[in-house]
Amino acid sequence: MRPILAVTLNPALDIATSVNHVTAGVKLRCGAPQMDPGGGGLNVARAIHLLGGQATAFVALGGHTGQKLRELIETAGLTLVVHPAPGETRQSLAVTDEGLGDQYRFMLPGPEWGTADLAKASEAITAASPADAIVVLSGSGPLGAAPDLYLDLCAALDGDGRDVIVDTSGAALHRLAEGQHKIKPWILRMDQGEAEGLAGHALRSNEETAAFARYLLVRGVAETVIIARGAHGSVLVNADESLAVKAATVPVRSRVGAGDSFVGGFVKALAEGKPLREALSWGSATASAAVMTEGTELCRPEDAERLLAESPVTPVQVG
């Protein structure tokens, strides 16, 4: 199995709870909170670990919240590389309205990073990435980071057989989508809303989504582009093929971590040498398994294995 390094520069202590009904202007009595490590790369590493694989989590932590987060990560059994953050680690809160079944997600800001902080982190990430590793750069960048953050990290990690997968949003994603980069990610993943924001219009079908992914590919944003389509599954496009994977039909209890779980299942399969189509099926099955769990809990391996048969991969015709 190829080594996997999952990087989280802007982690969060994820807190999930519920109330009978969300109403403005009154005190809302919450249920017992569930606390989990949060942030893109951490969730990816957690999903890989739950599926029986191995990944090292590189995470920037600071303050009392960072210490609590470290304890949760170590309790979860993850292999950990801790990098000092320049301030207190952030928190996020997910509150479920039990009456309506709606979930509200509140993301607090983390510490602001300076140029020197980001340079030290880049050096540490490169040092922690063994040759032939798959490096996952996942989640939002920290406050103070330029939109070039992940492009700069791709350049720093270039060589020694490493492959970089990027799953981000906002200004960093827009910068990546400009294309024509000298060094680009191996794989760039985004969700439907992010892709439609870049396209400037709705992507109503697998064919339309694959056509936009092909457009990004031609612009040179990455060697492979994956666009998640929620309950419709995901579309993958590279120079050789255009594929769609179906999402299994499952009860949805929480969408927290579903995208990261997809990346975890997908990357674990690739690291084990499985073909791309099988990895895509594993990613979709793992994401479907994740939405079946409550709060900030991720996938159950038995669910992912069962849902694999319900996550077929088929070609997509792109005009």
Side-chain angles (χ1 to χ4, degrees):
M1 183 171 178
R2 293 179 66 183
I4 302 170
L5 183 74
V7 177
T8 314
L9 293 180
N10 194 27
L13 175 63
D14 279 350
I15 304 171
T17 187
S18 62
V19 296
N20 291 330
H21 183 61
V22 176
T23 305
V26 298
K27 291 183 179 180
L28 302 176
R29 305 295 179 182
C30 299
Q34 176 180 329
M35 297 186 184
D36 288 296
L42 277 175
N43 285 337
V44 170
R46 287 173 60 206
I48 292 170
H49 180 75
L50 288 168
L51 293 171
Q54 294 183 343
T56 298
F58 181 102
V59 58
L61 299 175
H64 295 295
T65 304
Q67 181 57 40
K68 176 62 178 177
L69 190 52
R70 178 170 187 162
E71 292 170 3
L72 290 172
I73 297 168
E74 292 175 341
T75 299
L78 298 183
T79 302
L80 186 61
V81 174
V82 174
H83 183 76
E88 188 79 21
T89 296
R90 67 190 178 115
Q91 299 183 15
S92 71
L93 176 65
V95 180
T96 299
D97 183 318
E98 294 175 343
L100 299 176
D102 294 333
Q103 187 180 66
Y104 300 84
R105 300 172 66 183
F106 305 90
M107 320 300 290
L108 300 179
E112 184 162 359
W113 291 54
T115 302
D117 300 317
L118 293 164
K120 290 177 182 177
S122 178
E123 293 173 1
I125 291 166
T126 304
S129 305
D132 196 37
I134 298 177
V135 182
V136 181
L137 306 177
S138 182
S140 59
L143 286 176
D148 283 334
L149 170 66
Y150 287 133
L151 282 171
D152 291 343
L153 287 174
C154 285
L157 291 163
D158 190 43
D160 293 329
R162 301 186 188 101
D163 287 313
V164 179
I165 297 176
V166 178
D167 184 2
T168 189
S169 58
L173 176 60
H174 281 262
R175 180 70 181 94
L176 285 159
E178 292 175 8
Q180 308 306 318
H181 307 301
K182 183 177 179 181
I183 298 175
K184 58 192 177 184
W186 180 40
I187 298 173
L188 175 64
R189 180 192 175 275
M190 66 194 74
D191 66 27
Q192 182 85 1
E194 292 160 351
E196 290 178 342
L198 293 173
H201 57 80
L203 302 171
R204 294 178 292 269
S205 65
N206 284 341
E207 290 74 17
E208 289 184 6
T209 303
F212 180 65
R214 177 72 62 190
Y215 164 76
L216 292 174
L217 205 70
V218 170
R219 293 190 67 173
V221 305
E223 295 179 31
T224 296
V225 174
I226 300 175
I227 299 177
R229 302 194 64 238
H232 299 292
S234 293
V235 167
L236 179 151
V237 175
N238 60 24
D240 300 318
E241 54 192 347
S242 300
L243 305 171
V245 61
K246 181 181 179 293
T249 302
V250 297
V252 177
R253 294 189 172 88
S254 173
R255 292 181 173 85
V256 176
D260 298 325
S261 294
F262 175 98
V263 176
F266 178 75
V267 171
K268 176 179 178 289
L270 289 179
E272 292 171 341
K274 291 183 170 62
L276 189 62
R277 290 188 177 214
E278 189 174 347
L280 191 58
S281 186
W282 267 108
S284 187
T286 307
S288 295
V291 303
M292 296 172 62
T293 60
E294 301 286 352
T296 53
E297 184 183 357
L298 297 181
C299 56
R300 300 188 187 101
E302 61 271 22
D303 289 333
E305 291 173 7
R306 175 176 56 82
L307 295 171
L308 192 63
E310 300 178 40
S311 309
V313 175
T314 54
V316 180
Q317 297 298 323
V318 182

